[in-house]
Amino acid sequence: MWKHVVLFALATGTSCHVLDYIDPLIGSNGGGNVFAGATLPYGMAKAVADVDGQNTGGFSTDNSNVTGFSSMHDAGTGGNPSLGNFPLFPQFCPGNDLNNCRFPKDSRKLPYKNDTVVARPGYFALTLDNNISAEMTTTKHAALYQFSFPDAKAENGTTLHPLILVDLDDLWLSRQNASVSVDAATGRISGNGTFLPSFGAGSYVLHFCVDFAGASIFDSGMYVNDRAGTEPKELYVTRGFNLFYIQAGSFVRFHRPSDGTISARFGVSYISSDKACQNAEHEIPDWDFDVIRARAEDAWIEKLDHISITPGGASEDLQNTFYSGLYRNMINPQDYTGENPQWESDEPYFDSFYCIWDAFRAQHPMLTIIDPNEQSRMVRSLLDTYKHRGWLPDCQMSLSRGWTQGGSNADVVLVDAYVKNLTGIDWSLAYEAVIKDAEVEPLDWSNQGRGGLQSWKRLNYIPYLDYDYLGFGTNSRSISRTVEYAYNDFVIATLSIGLGKDPSVYLQRASNWRNLYKSDQTSFINGTDTGFVGFFQPKYLNGTWGYQDPIACSPLATFCSLTSNPSETFESSVWEYQFYVPQDMAALIDTLGGAETLIKRLDYAFESGLLDISNEPVFLTVYAYHYAGRPALSTKRVHTYIPSRFNSSYTGLPGNDDSGAMGSFSAFSMMGLFPNAGQNVYLISAPFFESWSINMGNDTVATVKTVNFDPAYKNIYIQSVTLNGGQYKKSWIGHEFFAQGWTLEITLGDAESDWGTKDEDLPPSMSTSQIGHMSL
Ligand SMILES: *[C@@H]1O[C@H](CO)[C@@H](O)[C@H](O)[C@H]1NC(C)=O
Ligand SMILES: *[C@@H]1O[C@H](CO)[C@@H](O)[C@H](O)[C@H]1NC(C)=O
Ligand SMILES: *[C@@H]1O[C@H](CO)[C@@H](O)[C@H](O)[C@H]1NC(C)=O
Ligand SMILES: *[C@@H]1O[C@H](CO)[C@@H](O)[C@H](O)[C@H]1NC(C)=O
Ligand SMILES: *[C@@H]1O[C@H](CO)[C@@H](O)[C@H](O)[C@H]1NC(C)=O
Ligand SMILES: *[C@@H]1O[C@H](CO)[C@@H](O)[C@H](O)[C@H]1NC(C)=O
Ligand SMILES: *[C@@H]1O[C@H](CO)[C@@H](O)[C@H](O)[C@H]1NC(C)=O
Ligand SMILES: *[C@@H]1O[C@H](CO)[C@@H](O)[C@H](O)[C@H]1NC(C)=O
Ligand SMILES: *[C@@H]1O[C@H](CO)[C@@H](O)[C@H](O)[C@H]1NC(C)=O
Ligand SMILES: *[C@@H]1O[C@H](CO)[C@@H](O)[C@H](O)[C@H]1NC(C)=O
Ligand SMILES: *[C@@H]1O[C@H](CO)[C@@H](O)[C@H](O)[C@H]1NC(C)=O
């Protein structure tokens, strides 16, 4: 069933493997926080070396020290390091004295040999400074490690015994309590621990089970802080007296085998340690590292080999950026089906939606194209979560509710799937879920639903310093929540129309962004007037305007998050959020004073540094020129960021990858089709490759070809387009392009043309076109 060798034809005539274009180390330094280790697509087990530097995703190429090798991670997230539970660490105890081994993280950590790092889909390896090397690969719920120990001797020539410890902590040192036991006869170590989610409420319990092979056991035991003993064989630790953090775990020492290699098979489970053992036994019965690794590679090839490009001279850097971006789309969310202890269900269960605020804009739309079956399963998982918890999540990690950043953006993920005809989804349940978001305020809206709904319905905006006694959350972000809630209500209207329900109340609320537009608001930078008048501003309950400097929270000012410097705009400025009206850019243009004004504002915002390419709210703004009838300027703008801010270097991401959000932004941009998520709309721009195609299955192949392609990117202006051979003047196209396997042929030139500039060619806006299933 596995297509073992899939050859990948390139225009150069050489044949290569798609995996050769994937470098998991892209974004492993400089804040990308990617997961650079071994995983299956959406796999729960994710094995990598953990470092003490930029370790949010475990490993970084920042030359910091390795603290262990662990099997659970998140990908691309910001803030606290996520997961990294129960790391293994291999070492020798000098003089074979147990107490000469280094147990706590800070004393055992070691540099890695920079030139030994190998990161490939499904595989990761490096060698520590002490010459012990580690290789790892994974199945769905288990990791297989191979540690190679050099032939180390004590001073009198005795061979040293390799030791492998399991530490009961995680990357963030969030452990509350943990239990571990070791079987002296078999060396099996199993246990569990209670930890805190890295960006959410509550706690979670994770279980593990590790077996060893390749060497006979010398002894085993426990350690607590920097002392160890061969008794007891079981241990329970708490957070520690006075919250003094106890470092503890278990170890096994071995007689060094002649080839020096000891394997560790590490099973994980959220159900029980027995289940963790079963997962490992079932998925890695034969301990055959090469077979497990080949299966992981095949799984990745299967996910990506239906996407092909003819680079036409485009650099390897761009090709690597493209495929690696697609690859990173399939690391999170993680498929925890069968591993959810919170409810019983036959539906899929995905976790690490981390966070939907980041992923709804480009990552989920990308999965809808390149992996629609899994995207459909993710939507079903969101709905099953709604069914059992009563609310759609906005962010989710380690079985816990993550913090909501803006609107109820799972609504957009659902409706995006709806307008793109994903199958297998219970749309009446989806309708119920999004209506609940719009109509019912949860007591705790910090991690589900929306806050301020009474004001939203009565005043039609979220007030500055709202008086909200119905529910409780971080009482900030009134501007960004207003624009996001308005868009959420727009997509609810779309679903309502599709299902034959009355959309009118949601269509009305979809215009609520207008109520925070203060037409005489000016904006100064260091005392210099930007010259632009009219911005969103906070408004009190009584209708009086409040004030937030339009440049506050921009890169020219101070960062604003939920906890640091909470403001009326979340992680971005009024300047950025002024462009966030995805449902009605035509009305926004009218409000701001016309298409020319919008273009001037966009140019100013990008060129002054007010906009932040390292964060997701900017994604659609790069393409906002389309709505002003100047699609050429969107293409021109995106070339200012790719490859200068998105490239294949280790520091090649402008900010946190956020689960693959950055990867999908760059991949969509290079394809020359950018989604307006929640609508059946892709904005057309010039691709970065001579052609590309995606085989959607069933002999359905969607293709974009160019004429006059120029890898030096002087010819980035679309002159004309044909769709399946017929002239095509609109600057956008629907998902039918993919679903029905159409062909776009784009003729390029070195100057802007009138293609896509006429009113009738603009992408749809709520106030100027029919909404719902917009057909061509
Ligand atoms: C190796 O070190 C160099 C120089 O510090 C650095 O640029 C590079 O990213 C490192 N590579 C890895 C794999 O850590
Ligand atoms: C890594 O550990 C070594 C000692 O083993 C130490 O000299 C070095 O400063 C550490 N590096 C970092 C980045 O902490
Ligand atoms: C060599 O040293 C080790 C560790 O110090 C000790 O356990 C062992 O008994 C010594 N062997 C001999 C032959 O002296
Ligand atoms: C590791 O191996 C290198 C090269 O064989 C050797 O020079 C070095 O001394 C070894 N280091 C340790 C800690 O064994
Ligand atoms: C472990 O810690 C969690 C979170 O603090 C607590 O709810 C639980 O009762 C503790 N379990 C044990 C066995 O101490
Ligand atoms: C963790 O393991 C201990 C020891 O086996 C067991 O008593 C406890 O019930 C386990 N905790 C959970 C939450 O399964
Ligand atoms: C504003 O002025 C300060 C102090 O002169 C300077 O550091 C800062 O870069 C200026 N900001 C902008 C956006 O020009
Ligand atoms: C409205 O409320 C704000 C904040 O409490 C207050 O500063 C302002 O004076 C009020 N406006 C009126 C007209 O009462
Ligand atoms: C690659 O992207 C990074 C992050 O945005 C940027 O700092 C770097 O300058 C870029 N490199 C190149 C060669 O453009
Ligand atoms: C494509 O083929 C699969 C089975 O291989 C089938 O389930 C699916 O319905 C087909 N889709 C279309 C659009 O024909
Ligand atoms: C979805 O299905 C409807 C009804 O078959 C069809 O009209 C529409 O074009 C489809 N939309 C997409 C995006 O394929």
Side-chain angles (χ1 to χ4, degrees), residues 565-637:
N565 194 21
S567 300
E568 298 317 298
T569 48
F570 177 73
E571 286 194 357
S572 226
S573 60
V574 163
W575 265 93
E576 176 62 73
Y577 282 106
Q578 75 176 313
F579 302 116
Y580 193 70
V581 187
Q583 69 275 35
D584 206 350
M585 293 299 284
L588 177 71
I589 288 170
D590 278 350
T591 306
L592 296 179
E596 279 308 304
T597 315
L598 179 79
I599 289 162
K600 283 202 188 107
R601 283 195 189 224
L602 286 166
D603 286 347
Y604 184 85
F606 282 113
E607 283 152 27
S608 62
L610 278 163
L611 299 193
D612 180 6
I613 196 63
S614 76
N615 211 349
E616 286 72 12
V618 79
F619 284 3
L620 195 58
T621 311
V622 173
Y623 290 90
Y625 297 96
H626 270 72
Y627 290 88
R630 300 285 297 279
L633 300 181
S634 301
T635 308
K636 197 174 155 196
R637 184 61 62 200

Side-chain angles (χ1 to χ4, degrees), residues 655-675:
N656 303 156
D657 194 35
D658 288 322
S659 227
M662 292 286 152
S664 52
F665 172 79
S666 56
F668 265 128
S669 293
M670 285 187 249
M671 288 162 70
L673 289 180
F674 199 83

Side-chain angles (χ1 to χ4, degrees), residues 422-587:
L422 284 196
T423 53
I425 296 161
D426 179 348
W427 292 115
S428 61
L429 184 61
Y431 181 74
E432 189 186 308
V434 299
I435 294 293
K436 187 160 182 195
D437 277 343
E439 296 298 337
V440 184
E441 180 166 332
L443 182 65
D444 181 357
W445 54 265
S446 63
N447 53 37
Q448 54 199 8
R450 306 187 201 168
L453 278 183
Q454 195 162 260
S455 298
W456 184 243
K457 295 176 197 175
R458 188 169 61 89
L459 301 172
N460 298 308
Y461 61 92
I462 294 298
Y464 187 25
L465 304 180
D466 197 8
Y467 175 51
D468 181 9
Y469 48 83
L470 293 181
F472 302 91
T474 311
N475 200 2
S476 60
R477 301 159 289 145
S478 61
I479 296 172
S480 49
R481 282 166 53 218
T482 292
V483 298
E484 291 194 17
Y485 291 1
Y487 189 55
N488 299 152
D489 282 341
F490 170 80
V491 300
I492 293 174
T494 304
L495 184 63
S496 303
I497 293 169
L499 298 179
K501 319 262 186 195
D502 180 5
S504 50
V505 67
Y506 301 108
L507 283 176
Q508 213 170 354
R509 291 181 197 162
S511 293
N512 282 359
W513 56 274
R514 292 171 183 269
N515 300 321
L516 292 189
Y517 182 74
K518 185 163 183 281
S519 58
D520 61 353
Q521 180 61 51
T522 53
S523 173
F524 286 71
I525 299 180
N526 271 355
T528 303
D529 192 347
T530 61
F532 296 98
V533 183
F535 289 92
F536 292 134
Q537 280 296 293
K539 195 190 267 183
Y540 290 105
L541 270 162
N542 61 11
T544 299
W545 289 108
Y547 174 70
Q548 178 172 307
D549 186 338
I551 76 165
C553 308
S554 77
L556 302 185
T558 316
F559 190 68
C560 305
S561 70
L562 279 177
T563 47
S564 72
N565 194 21
S567 300
E568 298 317 298
T569 48
F570 177 73
E571 286 194 357
S572 226
S573 60
V574 163
W575 265 93
E576 176 62 73
Y577 282 106
Q578 75 176 313
F579 302 116
Y580 193 70
V581 187
Q583 69 275 35
D584 206 350
M585 293 299 284

Side-chain angles (χ1 to χ4, degrees), residues 705-764:
K705 297 180 188 169
T706 58
V707 176
N708 300 332
F709 179 77
D710 162 28
Y713 302 112
K714 290 213 175 56
N715 295 347
I716 56 166
Y717 299 104
I718 297 180
Q719 306 297 302
S720 61
V721 174
T722 64
L723 174 63
N724 301 331
Q727 200 178 47
Y728 193 75
K729 293 184 148 182
K730 292 184 202 301
S731 68
W732 63 284
I733 194 164
H735 188 70
E736 289 81 358
F737 169 75
F738 291 102
Q740 297 183 29
W742 291 347
T743 298
L744 279 175
E745 188 171 281
I746 299 179
T747 300
L748 298 167
D750 62 5
E752 197 173 348
S753 76
D754 68 354
W755 173 84
T757 59
K758 303 210 166 56
D759 281 353
E760 64 269 25
D761 302 332
L762 302 185

Side-chain angles (χ1 to χ4, degrees), residues 244-383:
F244 171 78
Y245 192 73
I246 297 171
Q247 308 235 6
S250 183
F251 70 86
V252 177
R253 277 199 294 180
F254 303 90
H255 296 285
R256 183 181 177 276
S258 53
D259 69 354
T261 302
I262 301 176
S263 301
R265 183 182 68 183
F266 200 102
V268 286
S269 174
Y270 283 104
I271 305 289
S272 67
S273 52
D274 284 349
K275 178 87 188 311
C277 298
Q278 287 157 21
N279 284 342
E281 286 161 357
H282 175 73
E283 293 173 9
I284 310 182
D286 302 326
W287 296 76
D288 190 330
F289 191 92
D290 293 339
V291 165
I292 301 294
R293 179 184 175 180
R295 278 192 197 142
E297 287 182 349
D298 285 345
W300 280 110
I301 292 168
E302 178 143 315
K303 286 295 183 199
L304 293 166
D305 76 340
H306 61 300
I307 306 154
S308 56
I309 56 179
T310 303
S315 67
E316 291 234 334
D317 174 79
L318 285 170
Q319 297 174 56
N320 293 346
T321 304
F322 177 73
Y323 278 112
S324 303
L326 295 180
Y327 163 79
R328 294 199 310 276
N329 266 267
M330 301 190 195
I331 293 180
N332 272 14
Q334 306 184 15
D335 188 346
Y336 287 2
T337 306
E339 285 292 336
N340 175 10
Q342 299 182 0
W343 62 83
E344 299 229 339
S345 171
D346 294 332
E347 283 297 279
Y349 179 76
F350 281 79
D351 204 288
S352 290
F353 288 95
Y354 199 169
C355 295
I356 290 178
W357 184 84
D358 303 289
F360 84 86
R361 303 162 206 263
Q363 184 183 4
H364 287 290
M366 181 59 87
L367 292 177
T368 299
I369 297 167
I370 66 176
D371 205 357
N373 290 335
E374 292 301 321
Q375 175 61 19
S376 167
R377 292 181 72 237
M378 287 177 202
V379 168
R380 284 164 56 193
S381 168
L382 292 173
L383 290 178

Side-chain angles (χ1 to χ4, degrees), residues 25 29 59-63 112 114 117 650:
L25 296 175
N29 197 355
F59 182 71
S60 171
T61 46
D62 63 359
N63 285 322
Y112 57 89
N114 182 290
V117 175
Y650 294 169

Side-chain angles (χ1 to χ4, degrees), residues 29-30 317 613 641-655:
N29 197 355
D317 174 79
I613 196 63
Y641 292 122
I642 302 174
S644 74
R645 305 299 301 280
F646 298 83
N647 54 60
S648 68
S649 70
Y650 294 169
T651 55
L653 293 177

